[in-house]
Structures are given as structure tokens and as C-alpha cells.
């Protein structure tokens, strides 16, 4: 397959530091350290460009609004009209406020590292509906199952966004991952998989039996869900995916270089990328089907829209790309038998670390474990 960049925009900052969110017809992203821009998905044209603080702790699209919580100034939550860039309201927040989730007409913030209380704000005007009486320790919050899911230590709590009350509570067999990690991975409308310490996965849900440990795995740096499997990024150099029902392996892929998140749904398999700009299509069993590259780009992240649109954040740039089949040269039966492999367009770039250790460009062998 061949990767074609449809449009690309200079960020003037590291791609990994550029928080972004993809909407139905636009992309909202942070760039130039102090700006928030909205780009048309079709061609990357600027819809609006407004000033904002540095390093957003959260960007959430909620219908025709975008909510942003920058680190500095770290006492202001902004609500912006995604169509025009106009400021709809801004609300003061306690210093060091982190975590941001939107459920229906309520915005829930706070609880990051136990620095601040948690609060529920009216999405319409930013007025405060409720606030916890004291600071709360919370992992990264998400909107799920009619509420906002939070937790810390061995406890997960589903908050009622209307008043902050508890809709459900679960006692977990292991401690939730740290406050900066993505801890909750929704599997469906009533079930979640939680990333726990030291390297385990726990499943729980609405009306289900008590939380169950799926298994303990090699240390992983990130976790997510794609095509019916929960994936774990293994120290940045490979992925392991497991069945969220029983924790058994569904596929895995190893790599001899740093990988980037997230694996993206593509056809009946997934796409995975590496820091050198390489992109591989994996089949349902995790085996490499085809590959290509985004030449000259140091990838930090990949993202996909619900309709299949593909995006990348790289060193200094953000863009949209598309994949297309690669014309293959006719091969004789003898040649096919001798190679036993697909024709793949490979990247010619090489990571300095790979050069130093004499490694090649290819991925390590992949398959089921």
C-alpha cells in the first residue's frame, strides 16, 4: 500500500506536545505553544485561530462546542464555539486543575493528583452545579454508562454528572494505574477494562459480577481498545492484544524500534505506526499484511475518525493521509515461492539508535503468543 499525505500544517512545536481532537468535519489542535486552531478536515484550511494557554491538560468536543483546559493560565476552563472560534464562556478553576470529561450537559473537572476538588459545570454557561467538599484523588476521568467514571487506588466510582453523587462503586483486586496514565478502556456501554499496577488488566461493569483480573502482563506504557481487543503497548516497542472477556491473547506484534499509539481500526485489522514514519497493516491475527511509510516524518501519534479518515502528529507537523493499494510487479511462481512474502513499500529512513546498534528497518517477527 501507499500512504499519501492529503494536507499538512506546521505546528512550531513537538507533535507529541500538540493535544488534538478529531471531529466530524474538523480537527481542533494546540500549536505554536499558545494557540488553538480549528482546521477543516477536507483540506486543512484554517477555520479559526484563537489565543490559548500552554500544554492543554484536556480538549473535548461536545457537539458544537470545544472545551479546553490549559496548564497556563492554569485557573481557567474555556468553552469555544467550534463553528466560529468565539468564546462562549470561561470559568475560573482552582490552581492545578486537571482531568476533563463531558457527559450530556455537564462538564466534570478536577481530581488530578489529588490537588483539587472535583466539580460539575453547566455546559451551557459554565455555572457550577456541584463541587466536592475537599480535594479528590482521581485517575483520568471518562464519560461512560450514563455518568463519569473516576477512581483511585483499588476503587472505581461512577459519578452522577448532575449532582456528583455515586451511581455505582467497584472494589478492584489491584490498584489503578497512576494519575497521568489512561486507566479506563470502555469495551461497550456497560463494561470497562482498567489498567492497574503493576501490569495487570481488570474488567468490571454495570450489573456484572465483581471485578475480575484478566491477567498480568509484561510492563506496558499505554492501553486502548480496537476491533474487539484490548491492546497494550509494551515499553514502546510492540503491542499485545487480548480478549476483554478472558484476557487471552488475540494478536501481538514485536518491533525493533519505538512504536506510536494508537493502533487504528483498518479494514478487518489494524494499522500500527513507528517513530520513523513506518506504517503497517496487520490482519486479525496480528500478522503484517502490507506496509508503507510517511517519508521524512518522525511520528508521535496516529488517529482515525469514525468515518475512516486518518491523521498523524509528527515532529513539528500535523496532517491527514490516505492509504491506497500499491501496484505490484508480476512475479513468477518461483520468485513467489522463494520469498513467501508480500511486496511491501519500506521506509529508507533509519532511527539513529537503530544505526548505532546495526539494526535494520523491518519489524521483528509478529504473530500470536
Amino acid at each position: 500500500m501507499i500512504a499519501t499525505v492529503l494536507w499538512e500544517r506546521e505546528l512550531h512545536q513537538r507533535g507529541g506536545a500538540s493535544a488534538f481532537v478529531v471531529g466530524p468535519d474538523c480537527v481542533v489542535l494546540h500549536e505554536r505553544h499558545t494557540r488553538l486552531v480549528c482546521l477543516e478536515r477536507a483540506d486543512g484550511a484554517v477555520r479559526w485561530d484563537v489565543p490559548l494557554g500552554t500544554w492543554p491538560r484536556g480538549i473535548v468536543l461536545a457537539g458544537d462546542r470545544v472545551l479546553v483546559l490549559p496548564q497556563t493560565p492554569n485557573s481557567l476552563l474555556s468553552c469555544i464555539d467550534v463553528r466560529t472560534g468565539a468564546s462562549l464562556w470561561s470559568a475560573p478553576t482552582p490552581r492545578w486543575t486537571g482531568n476533563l470529561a463531558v457527559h450530556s450537559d455537564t462538564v466534570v473537572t478536577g481530581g488530578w493528583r489529588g490537588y483539587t476538588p472535583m466539580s460539575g459545570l453547566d455546559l451551557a454557561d459554565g455555572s457550577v452545579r456541584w463541587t466536592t467538599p475537599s480535594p479528590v484523588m482521581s485517575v483520568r476521568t471518562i464519560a461512560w454508562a450514563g455518568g463519569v467514571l473516576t477512581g483511585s487506588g483499588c476503587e472505581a466510582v461512577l459519578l452522577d454528572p448532575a449532582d456528583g453523587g455515586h451511581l455505582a462503586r467497584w472494589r478492584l483486586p489491584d490498584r489503578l494505574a497512576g494519575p497521568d496514565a489512561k486507566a479506563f478502556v470502555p469495551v461497550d456501554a456497560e463494561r470497562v477494562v482498567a489498567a492497574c499496577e503493576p501490569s495487570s488488566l481488570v474488567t468490571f461493569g454495570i450489573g456484572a459480577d465483581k471485578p475480575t483480573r484478566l491477567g498480568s502482563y509484561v510492563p506496558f506504557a499505554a492501553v486502548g481498545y480496537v476491533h474487539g481487543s484490548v491492546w497494550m503497548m509494551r515499553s514502546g516497542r510492540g503491542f499485545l492484544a487480548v480478549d476483554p472477556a478472558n484476557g487471552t491473547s488475540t494478536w501481538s506484534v514485536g518491533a525493533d524500534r519505538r512504536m506510536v499509539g494508537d493502533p487504528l481500526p483498518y479494514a478487518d485489522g489494524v494499522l500500527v505506526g513507528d517513530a520513523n514514519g513506518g506504517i503497517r497493516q496487520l490482519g486479525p491475527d496480528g500478522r503484517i499484511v502490507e506496509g508503507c511509510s510517511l517519508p521524512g516524518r518522525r511520528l508521535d501519534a496516529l488517529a482515525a475518525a469514525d468515518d475512516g479518515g486518518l491523521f498523524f502528529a509528527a515532529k513539528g507537523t500535523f496532517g491527514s493521509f490516505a492509504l491506497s493499494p500499491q501496484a505490484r510487479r508480476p512475479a513468477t511462481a518461483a520468485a513467489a515461492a522463494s520469498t513467501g512474502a508480500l511486496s511491501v513499500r519500506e521506509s529508507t529512513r533509519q532511527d539513529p539508535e537503530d544505526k548505532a546498534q546495526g539494526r535494520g528497518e523491518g519489524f521483528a517477527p509478529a504473530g500470536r503468543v
Side-chain angles (χ1 to χ4, degrees), residues 73-202:
N74 58 15
S75 58
L76 200 66
L77 170 67
S78 296
C79 179
I80 298 169
D81 189 320
V82 77
R83 298 163 301 185
T84 65
S87 175
L88 299 176
W89 54 262
S90 59
T93 59
R95 190 181 185 191
W96 309 120
T97 294
N99 292 333
L100 176 63
V102 179
H103 183 279
S104 185
D105 59 353
T106 304
V107 183
V108 177
T109 66
W112 177 60
R113 296 186 178 182
Y115 292 147
T116 69
M118 295 187 71
S119 298
L121 287 71
D122 192 314
L123 177 61
D125 59 13
S127 59
V128 178
R129 290 181 168 177
W130 55 266
T131 299
T132 59
S134 59
V136 175
M137 176 74 75
S138 171
V139 297
R140 194 183 305 180
T141 53
I142 62 169
W144 171 76
V148 172
L149 187 59
T150 180
S152 65
C154 292
E155 185 177 64
V157 180
L158 185 65
L159 297 179
D160 185 337
D163 59 12
H166 292 183
L167 297 174
R169 300 176 70 158
W170 296 267
R171 186 68 181 176
L172 309 180
D174 299 313
R175 294 181 60 84
L176 287 165
D180 297 326
K182 179 181 179 180
F184 297 127
V185 179
V187 172
D188 54 40
E190 297 186 342
R191 189 165 47 133
V192 158
V193 169
C196 296
E197 298 176 347
S199 301
S200 67
L201 296 179
V202 172

Side-chain angles (χ1 to χ4, degrees), residues 25 62 72 97 101 122 144 217 227 238 345 350 367:
D25 62 354
T72 55
T97 294
D122 192 314
W144 171 76
Y217 306 92
H227 270 339
R345 181 184 178 187
Q350 192 173 29

